[in-house]
Structure formats: C-alpha cells, structure tokens
Amino acid sequence: MTRVYLDYNATAPLDPGAADAMVRVAAGAAGNPSSPHAEGRAARRALDEARARVAALVGARADEVVFTGGGTESDNLALLGAVRYLRASHVVISSIEHPAVLAAAERLEADGVSVSRIRPDAHGVVDAGEVIDAIGPRTGLVSIMLANNETGVIQPVAEIARAARSRGALVHTDAVQAAGKMPVDVDDLGVDLLSITAHKFHGPGGIGALVVREGTWVEPLVIGGGQERGLRSGTSPVAMAVGFGVAAEVAREGLDAHAAARGAFTRRFEARLHERLPQVVLHGAAVDRIPGTTSMAVPGVPADALVAALDLDGFAVSAGAACATGAASPSHVLSAMGVDEALIRSTIRVSAGRTSTEDEADALVDALVRITARMPEAAR
Amino acid sequence: MSADTPVRVPPAGERVAVAMSGGVDSAVAASLLARAGADVVGVTLKLWCYGDTDLGDRACCSLSAIDDARRTCDVIGIPHFVLDLESHFGERVIDRFVDDYLAGRTPNPCVLCNQHVKFTALLERVRPMGATWVATGHHARLDPRGANGPELRRGADAGKDQSYALWSVPRDTLRHTLLPVGELSKDAVRAHAHEAGLPVASKAESQDICFVPDGDYGRFVAGRVEVRAPALDPGPIVDVDGRRLGTHAGVARYTVGQRRGLGIAHEEPLYVVAIDADTNTLVAGPRAALARRGFGVNEVNWVSVPGLADERRLGIKIRYRHPGTPGLVRPLGTDRVEVVLENPQDAVSPGQSAVFYDGDLVLGGGVIADRGEVASPAGVDAGGEERGQGASG
C-alpha cells in the first residue's frame, strides 16, 4: 500500500542533502570542536558553518545560536534560564503553549514565581492586548508561541514583543512549528529568545537551538565544560549540527516554494472536505495559519479510531498533538479555545509538507468519506 | 483441545479488532487469528489513569501494558492502536463500583466492563476502522451454531474458565465476538506464545481489579467520594439479634462473608453476615449464620437463549472460583429471577454475579440482589468474595 504522510507537524523526514552531509561528517575524521589540533579545527569549522546556516533561517547572528537537544530543551532553557537569571517573580504565557513551556512554567510556579496564562479566543488567537495588560513591573519574561502546533494559528508575537520590551520584560517565542514554514526573523519579531528544532523542517531529530540575542543572558540548565557560550555544556554534536544547518538552508532557500506547496494542499483539502463532508468542523480556519496545518473534527467519529482508520488506509495523521505512547490526550489548546468536549475528542490534525500534493489531498478526502460511511446514519 | 484446533475467523473481507491487555491470553488470541489468515488489528483500551497530572494524562500513557501489547503486535506483524475508553469506563464501571460499595454491596467490575466497555463500546469504537468483529483473550467458548444465535460455554481449561464474567455481554454484541483461546488450555496458550516468540509468553497473570492495583478497595472508594458518605463513617456492629458487639470503620469497607477486620473478641469466629448501608450497620455472626439458600437476582441477561419460560434446575455459580451448585431458577419477569439452592451456600454476596449453567452452556446470569429484596426461604444470608474474575490476559 502506498503511504501518504501527512503528519509533518509531528516530524518531517530527514532531507537527503542533510543526511548526506551528516554521514560525511560522522564517517570522516574524528575531532572535538573544542580541541586545538587540525581535527578539532575541522570539526569547529563544520560546527561554525552549521551555526551560521541555522542563524540565517531566523535572521540571527551565528554567535546568538545555542545548540540544544531540541525544542523542549530550548523552551525549558528560555523559561527557567531567563527567569532564574533575572530572579523575576512574574511571567506571562498563553494557555496554548507547548507542554515544554507549560511544564517549565509550572516548575517556576513551584519555585514561587507567579504565572499569568492568557487564553486564546475561539479562533485560537491570543489577544496581544490581553498579554500586554498582564505585563506588570515585576514581569521578567513573556513567552508566546509564534504558531500553534495543533491548529497552526499564528500569534501576534511582534506586537506583544514591542510592548513587552518597552516595559522592560524579556520576550521568548517558541517558533518550533513556524520556522521553515513561514518567514521568521528575530529582528522583525523583536524577541530576545527564540526556540527552534531541526526535525520539524527535515533536519535530524535530537538537536534544536535557542537563539539568545546579544545582551540577553540566561542561567544554563546543563553545566560542565562551558560549550555553547557556557549556556549549554556538553561536547557539541557536530554531525547533527551539520544536518541541522543543511536543513535550515534548504528550508530558507525553498521557503516560498514549500509554503506554496503546503498552502495548495490545504486549500484543496479544505475545499473538497467542505463539499463532500459538510459536517466537518475546522478549528482556526478563519484566521492566519502556517500553511499546511488543518485541525478538524468529524462529529461522531472519535479521533483515536479515525487516526487508526486512516492509518489502515495508508494515511499518517495525528489526533491533536502526538503523545508519547500513541494515546491521545484531550487537547488543552482546543479546550482553551472553548471547543466542545465531544468535538475535541473527534479532532485530528492533518499537516502537509513541502512534497504534499493536491492529489494526496483528494485521496485523503476520499478516505475520510469512506470511513465516515461506516458509521451509523446518526453519526453522519 | 490443542493449538492445532482450527480457529474461527471472521468472514472474508471483514476485519477483527483484538482487545490486547498486554497479557499472554490476548496476545495469543491475536496471534492465532493472524495465523489463521484473518485481517487483524490489535487495540489496547485506555480505561483508567493511574497518575493524573495538570497536563492531561500523559503520565499514565507509559503504562507497560500498552508497550507489551505494541511489542507483541510487532512480533505478530499486525498494526496496534490505543483507544481511549476512559470516559465509558469511568461512568459505567468505576462510578457503579463506588456506588455499590457505598450501598454495602460487593460489585464485580469485570462483569460491568465486559457488559458495557470491553465488548460493546469497543465494537462501536472500531467501526470507523472497518472492524466489525472484536476478539479477546477470555477463556470461554462461543459456539456460533446455536439455534438462537451464539452460545457461550465454559472455556476448555476448567481451571481458567472465565465464562462467569461474560454473562453480561449483550447477545447482539456476541454475534460479532470471537474468543480464540477458549478452546485451549492455559499450557497450550503459553506453548503457543513461546513458539510464536511473543514477548509476553512468560508474563505473570494479573489478579487484582485493574484500577485498584493495591487491592485497597476501601481507600479507593473513599478517594472517589466527593461529599461525605455515611458508608465511610464508623457505625455499629450488631449480632443477628441486634445486640451491639462493637464498632466498624464504615460499611463500604466490608464484604459479606469477611472475617478479618471486625476487631471483636468473641467465643467463636465472627463473620460479616449482612450489611445495612441505610443504617450503616454491620451484622456479624458465626459461620453457620452465613449459609443462604434463596436469593433474588436482578439485571438478568440471557446470554445464550432468548429467555427462561419456566422454572428450571440449573448449575449456579455465585462467584468466580465457585464450583457451582444445583438449584432452581424461577423467572420473575424478563430480567429478574429467584434462586433456591439445593444446598445452602456460605458466600452469597449482594452485588456479585450469579451465573446459570446447563453443563458447559452459560444460559445467563445476573446481579445478586440485596437481602430482603426477594423472599428468602432459608432466611439467612451468606458471603464471600473473589477478585479479578474477568481479567482477560
């Protein structure tokens, strides 16, 4: 059976160019980038080049890029690191952040920091004004994601950042789902800290970055040899970084074309879906989303069974966000948007990639029609 | 019977979902069906969460049962999915379990799960997946050639027979159910698992109720009660003549037939003879006072026959490990019966299941009524309990 992969927000397959580059580095001469010999210098060169490529994807300077173990670590480092360094007593986040941010905020709360969680509107947009109103003199950090992983809805980060910085608070954005899918520029956004991860745009899993703008400081979580400007100790994973760099460059150079492909898929898919299964409910469809993400519910068809049914028919999609064991947790994002509990339990996420096609969109709609037809009349 | 016995499979073109608990019986059920050429998918039901967190229920997702089922499916070469039936299980099984304990009864949650969740809700849930059949690893047999539809029979391994816990499955659901290991002895199940290289081949059996892993039902019930419940408060222990003997810790913490935990010094051992939840009173008495001959049975489901027209002499099991005892079963309307046993039994606990057998055939079963609901010819009550009755491996 041909497989159609439509779960790019969970992870995107490794770019062949990135894979080749990684193998060359990994199979080549050994060298610790911190070592003073020729092998070390070669590794350092490769690492620097990768860092520059990653930086370029988000408009940062190379020395502002701190390699981490992935998006979760980047988010943890931003929240825990910045607030602890500043000894701040208040942070503002949204209630639709990734668990990496939510859990870090809970940890801060346990340490006595107060946390304001701003809820989104029914479309999944966090109102900039509400965030700004929550910023007070004691606020050390504001962390609002750039695009939500479940709905793809883009948040008004630049507007929030302008106001927050004028009030003396640092701004972090989790750009894990946005990077490589829409233009992301740290200067335009005006943020101090920005998280990305490689595998969401065809880089290797297990490496991400926190962009720490010049003049911003965070307390490290991983300490030791002082690598990554002392912000993330541990021997730098050169091959992984090289793959990250190549993927970042491919994503930057192909940004418009890839976004167009994703957008074409989504427009076709949602239009056909509306024609053939008019009962389907889309979340966040009326506002700006990153191209390629559709959050949708087929009323009466539980998401876990729908994802399984689609898998058996050759389509890989997810129920809300991917969970560690495959069991779907009720989405905190959709709950915060006020979506009805039963609809949440019927919500799946279809996320297209740069190679997704309109034919695949049509085939997915056909499969959804077939699966829905198995349900009793009342559920159709 | 041996592992060579032909395994019944769904008609060509129809898919079967095997409910996989992570244990060896359901693993072998899936393996047998796959080898017989059936279109099989493995599913593990998420029924209960051990560690709720503010971030949802990620903590319980890592339960090893799910991993075991997934690894087993990988070896068999079939897909595996986790299906969330937690809300069904909470409403249909746990809420009733708590209510029953608070009412002084001894519920059988496996029977409720089999009635509402493991078969019926599962069959509905897998429908979008194109599966029109469900299978489990229960040790019981289903004969599809019955005159009135499928007939439920004891499993081939008398020591492992789980037909007692299956009386409650609706007949319409049984028409779409397969029990592939019912023809096998437990030894044959293990042998197949080893031969097939299934990772759970040597896994120990679970006996406790799945959602009370430490076996402390009283604490579980107390933890589920939001408002103060009288059945969890101390109250009087009296003898069969109403004389005060002592104080108990709340009737929900006791079971009819229980001997330990009464804390009374008496010339002969005392047992819980009856529980009156309305007055939060425990009645204690000597073992002889436990014997009971007649009792009512509610919520009767005739699982293999359309019903019972007239009074009939049948074998009656009153708990999972009970060998069965002869008695008369008298229908009182469609879903109630009165039972009169030939030999009084020591262990008739309200809330437990009474299951009616004709030889190997399970005609039906129901829930033993509270004392006094139906005139009791012998006038005395009995108790006893058993756990893990329906746990499908």
Side-chain angles (χ1 to χ4, degrees):
Chain A
M1 186 180 10
T2 25
R3 298 287 306 176
V4 178
Y5 186 78
L6 291 167
D7 199 12
Y8 286 88
N9 283 15
T11 195
L14 189 60
D15 179 84
D20 286 348
M22 288 173 72
V23 168
R24 274 200 304 278
V25 173
N32 184 322
S34 302
S35 298
H37 41 59
E39 290 83 356
R41 286 193 301 277
R44 166 68 62 179
R45 253 194 321 276
L47 191 64
D48 286 347
E49 191 183 353
R51 198 185 303 279
R53 286 171 161 165
V54 171
L57 178 66
V58 294
R61 282 190 357 219
D63 60 7
E64 294 174 323
V65 171
V66 175
F67 287 126
T68 67
T72 292
E73 188 188 326
S74 297
D75 284 346
N76 282 192
L77 179 58
L79 267 83
L80 301 177
V83 173
R84 287 173 183 172
Y85 180 76
L86 295 169
R87 303 189 189 288
S89 58
H90 179 233
V91 300
V92 181
I93 64 172
S94 81
S95 54
I96 60 168
E97 297 297 311
H98 188 274
V101 167
L102 296 177
E106 280 182 25
R107 175 65 61 86
L108 290 171
E109 246 171 353
D111 293 344
V113 175
S114 68
V115 177
S116 300
R117 296 173 178 81
I118 309 303
R119 295 169 66 89
D121 64 16
H123 303 290
V125 181
V126 177
D127 182 67
E130 282 185 49
V131 175
I132 294 163
D133 287 347
I135 300 170
R138 298 181 306 116
T139 308
L141 179 72
V142 177
S143 179
I144 303 292
M145 68 199 327
L146 188 47
N148 182 265
N149 47 312
E150 293 185 32
T151 61
V153 169
I154 297 168
Q155 308 300 328
V157 172
E159 186 182 346
I160 290 165
R162 271 195 302 278
R165 293 176 86 183
S166 74
R167 294 170 190 216
L170 288 183
V171 181
H172 166 249
T173 190
D174 172 351
V176 163
Q177 286 296 348
K181 295 176 187 156
M182 61 181 268
V184 175
D185 185 287
V186 283
D187 284 329
D188 293 348
L189 289 170
V191 297
D192 305 285
L193 299 157
L194 177 141
S195 300
I196 58 174
T197 197
H199 74 101
K200 301 291 190 191
F201 49 84
H202 305 274
I207 188 166
L210 180 66
V211 174
V212 181
R213 300 307 310 270
E214 188 183 7
T216 300
W217 200 250
V218 297
E219 190 176 296
L221 301 178
V222 180
I223 53 177
Q227 291 88 343
E228 301 296 315
R229 290 198 284 141
L231 297 181
R232 209 287 191 175
S233 287
T235 301
S236 304
V238 181
M240 306 270 280
V242 165
F244 191 1
V246 172
E249 189 163 280
V250 171
R252 185 172 59 83
E253 289 174 350
L255 191 65
D256 292 343
H258 299 162
R262 288 191 190 92
F265 175 94
T266 302
R267 273 190 303 279
R268 174 77 172 199
F269 174 60
E270 293 181 1
R272 291 298 293 262
L273 199 57
H274 182 67
E275 278 168 36
R276 300 193 56 198
L277 290 172
Q279 75 271 39
V280 164
V281 177
L282 301 182
H283 307 298
V287 293
D288 281 345
R289 286 175 286 164
I290 43 171
T293 302
T294 300
S295 174
M296 55 170 277
V298 186
V301 185
D304 52 10
L306 184 52
V307 169
L310 286 168
D311 180 46
L312 292 168
D313 274 7
F315 296 87
V317 305
S318 72
C323 166
T325 62
S329 308
S331 160
H332 69 282
V333 175
L334 299 174
S335 298
M337 290 163 62
V339 177
D340 172 72
E341 167 85 20
L343 267 192
I344 292 177
R345 294 196 174 276
S346 291
T347 295
I348 64 169
R349 180 186 68 187
V350 175
S351 50
R354 64 195 193 195
T355 54
S356 300
T357 66
E358 292 181 76
D359 284 349
E360 289 175 343
D362 290 349
L364 178 58
V365 174
D366 288 345
L368 286 166
V369 169
R370 235 176 8 250
I371 290 163
T372 307
R374 294 170 180 157
M375 299 302 288
E377 204 65 43
R380 279 188 258 159
Chain B
M1 299 267 186
S2 76
D4 299 328
T5 308
V7 171
R8 194 175 153 226
V9 297
E14 297 188 29
R15 179 175 284 157
V16 56
V18 183
M20 301 188 66
S21 63
V24 66
D25 294 311
S26 52
V28 168
S31 176
L32 289 171
L33 287 166
R35 284 198 181 182
D39 180 354
V40 189
V41 298
V43 296
T44 299
L45 312 183
K46 190 165 154 287
L47 299 176
W48 174 248
C49 205
Y50 295 90
D52 283 315
T53 70
D54 291 341
L55 283 179
D57 42 16
R58 278 151 214 275
C60 73
C61 295
S62 60
L63 283 178
S64 63
I66 292 173
D67 290 334
D68 283 344
R70 193 197 322 271
R71 287 188 299 130
T72 298
C73 287
D74 281 344
V75 170
I76 298 171
I78 57 174
H80 174 262
F81 303 102
V82 178
L83 299 177
D84 182 357
L85 289 171
E86 203 179 322
S87 62
H88 289 73
F89 192 75
E91 286 166 23
R92 300 294 205 151
V93 180
I94 293 179
D95 288 355
R96 169 80 184 260
F97 178 86
V98 171
D99 290 348
D100 273 1
Y101 261 109
L102 292 177
R105 292 189 283 264
T106 305
N108 187 323
C110 297
V111 165
L112 291 168
C113 181
N114 289 335
Q115 180 174 3
H116 297 292
V117 183
K118 199 173 272 180
F119 293 87
T120 309
L122 175 60
L123 191 59
E124 188 186 327
R125 179 61 60 90
V126 297
R127 201 165 165 159
M129 296 160 61
T132 46
W133 293 78
V134 293
T136 70
H138 282 100
H139 281 268
R141 286 177 291 175
L142 261 182
D143 183 348
R145 295 157 305 180
N148 300 296
E151 291 178 347
L152 178 67
R153 294 180 178 276
R154 290 184 211 261
D157 188 331
K160 292 289 167 190
D161 171 42
Q162 291 174 315
S163 61
Y164 172 81
L166 294 172
W167 65 264
S168 56
V169 181
R171 274 160 66 75
D172 281 347
T173 303
L174 276 190
R175 287 177 209 279
H176 297 272
T177 298
L178 300 170
L179 303 175
V181 304
E183 304 285 353
L184 302 185
S185 68
K186 188 79 184 193
D187 287 346
V189 167
R190 294 255 182 221
H192 176 95
H194 282 290
E195 181 260 317
L198 304 183
V200 293
S202 302
K203 191 171 170 179
E205 310 213 6
S206 63
Q207 285 300 328
D208 273 318
I209 291 176
C210 65
F211 56 88
V212 193
D214 65 356
D216 188 342
Y217 309 110
R219 198 180 63 183
F220 178 84
V221 170
R224 295 283 300 189
V225 175
E226 281 163 17
V227 291
R228 192 161 151 264
L232 292 166
D233 291 340
I237 303 176
V238 300
D239 68 13
V240 288
D241 299 317
R243 282 187 297 259
R244 175 100 184 212
L245 297 175
T247 301
H248 65 74
V251 292
R253 303 178 199 277
Y254 298 84
T255 294
V256 169
Q258 177 176 340
R259 183 177 151 192
R260 291 174 187 280
L262 288 177
I264 301 169
H266 206 254
E267 60 265 33
E268 55 184 335
L270 287 177
Y271 295 79
V272 175
V273 169
I275 294 172
D276 185 343
D278 291 340
T279 60
N280 196 26
T281 301
L282 276 192
V283 182
R287 178 160 186 159
L290 282 173
R292 195 171 167 198
R293 183 192 290 276
F295 54 90
V297 178
N298 295 327
E299 301 175 52
V300 170
N301 180 47
W302 297 108
V303 67
S304 299
V305 293
L308 202 61
D310 296 304
E311 145 179 321
R312 191 160 160 197
R313 184 173 184 270
L314 293 169
I316 296 152
K317 275 182 74 161
I318 54 174
R319 63 183 184 277
Y320 178 46
R321 289 291 181 200
H322 189 243
T325 190
L328 281 180
V329 177
R330 288 188 194 126
L332 303 171
T334 53
D335 64 350
R336 294 183 66 209
V337 301
E338 182 185 35
V339 170
V340 181
L341 302 175
E342 291 174 13
N343 305 302
Q345 298 290 307
D346 269 358
V348 184
S349 303
Q352 287 281 290
S353 293
V355 183
F356 315 126
Y357 290 84
D358 179 4
D360 270 351
L361 179 68
V362 182
L363 269 71
V367 179
I368 296 172
D370 290 344
R371 194 178 180 177
E373 257 194 65
V374 172
S376 167
V380 280
D381 213 336
E385 62 176 313
E386 192 76 29
R387 306 291 181 195
Q389 294 90 335
S392 161

